[in-house]
Amino acid sequence: MLVTDIDTRWLTDDDRDNLTVRQHDVVAEEPPAGGFDLIHARLVLIHLPQRHAVLDRLISSLKPGGRLVLEEFDLRHPLATQAGHRAEFDAVQDAFLRVMTTREVDIDWARSLPENFAARDLDDVHVHTHTILWRGGSPEIQLYRVNVEQVAADLATEGISAQALDDFYALLGNPAFTAWSHPLVSISAARPRLCR
Ligand SMILES: C[S@@+](CC[C@H](N)C(=O)[O-])C[C@H]1O[C@@H](n2cnc3c(N)ncnc32)[C@H](O)[C@@H]1O
């Protein structure tokens, strides 16, 4: 199995003899040669302005009959479940998404995947979405805090006060609060075996 990323600092192949790690820029570089039976990319194309060209490139890297699996967050899905906490949570989360948009994240990308796959005439398309209800105080819900902390300076520009941020963090620590995880849209399809 070949694992690639533009930044391989967090990847090692030390303890697996069936794993090769390679530094690779999926935008700027040709894919490794040979053709693949399966390509899986999670939460990568959503960040890349060249996502449509990268999608074409991944498909052309498959062997005939080979399968592409993409997984991306549906960033349009409402997260906070309780009406009483929604405005407080959404103020920060909506500002976070505005910041992501300025950084070229396409927040509609996950929802557009079925039509993007259909436009490329792939076979045997399957789509499903997975989400989990996270409770305040759990380790998982801290993903929302980690994401927001990384862009805190930009959130101030978006009108989010230090108090609003503190309230948001308090909500994430409150066991009475629940929020959906970003739904993960998984789509898979096969490259046609015959030319059409
Ligand atoms: C949100 S992380 C997802 C990491 C991992 N795929 C996962 O699902 O946990 C986005 C990843 O895309 C990688 N990335 C960004 N631009 C890239 C590029 N041009 N080519 C290859 N990888 C890239 C980043 O280094 C980062 O590891």
Side-chain angles (χ1 to χ4, degrees):
M1 180 166 39
L2 176 66
V3 179
T4 71
D5 198 290
I6 200 169
D7 175 1
T8 55
R9 275 177 300 166
W10 315 107
L11 299 169
T12 66
D13 51 9
D14 299 345
D15 52 356
R16 299 214 203 167
D17 44 13
N18 66 343
L19 195 67
T20 304
V21 172
R22 191 177 305 168
Q23 194 273 336
H24 179 259
D25 180 338
V26 76
V27 174
E29 296 175 271
E30 286 300 318
F36 292 91
D37 297 309
L38 174 69
I39 297 176
H40 173 225
R42 187 179 72 172
L43 301 174
V44 178
L45 275 66
I46 196 169
H47 293 278
L48 304 175
Q50 308 86 348
R51 57 188 67 82
H52 288 276
V54 172
L55 178 55
D56 290 334
R57 179 173 271 179
L58 294 180
I59 293 167
S60 66
S61 305
L62 291 168
K63 293 177 183 169
R67 188 161 276 277
L68 175 63
V69 182
L70 287 193
E71 297 188 292
E72 306 281 11
F73 282 154
D74 174 2
L75 296 174
R76 287 281 183 203
H77 192 273
L79 300 175
T81 57
Q82 298 119 323
H85 290 306
R86 197 165 294 139
E88 203 179 343
F89 182 88
D90 284 356
V92 175
Q93 189 60 29
D94 290 351
F96 172 76
L97 292 181
R98 290 197 297 277
V99 171
M100 288 298 100
T101 303
T102 66
R103 297 182 179 204
E104 313 238 43
V105 169
D106 180 354
I107 63 176
D108 294 310
W109 175 242
R111 289 189 178 201
S112 73
L113 286 173
E115 69 187 77
N116 277 309
F117 272 49
R120 287 164 171 87
D121 212 14
L122 298 167
D123 284 343
D124 195 28
V125 182
H126 296 264
V127 191
H128 75 262
T129 300
H130 179 69
T131 180
I132 305 167
L133 191 66
W134 284 341
R135 187 164 291 286
S138 66
E140 295 84 2
I141 207 168
Q142 298 310 318
L143 174 68
Y144 295 135
R145 179 174 184 139
V146 170
N147 284 344
V148 159
E149 280 175 341
Q150 289 180 65
V151 298
D154 290 350
L155 289 176
T157 313
E158 288 292 334
I160 300 299
S161 66
Q163 184 61 55
L165 265 190
D166 284 345
D167 292 346
F168 181 79
Y169 297 151
L171 211 45
L172 298 180
N174 177 357
F177 175 71
T178 53
W180 296 109
S181 63
H182 288 303
L184 186 72
V185 177
S186 301
I187 183 163
S188 88
R191 183 176 180 178
R193 287 184 185 279
L194 301 171
C195 292
R196 291 201 273 247

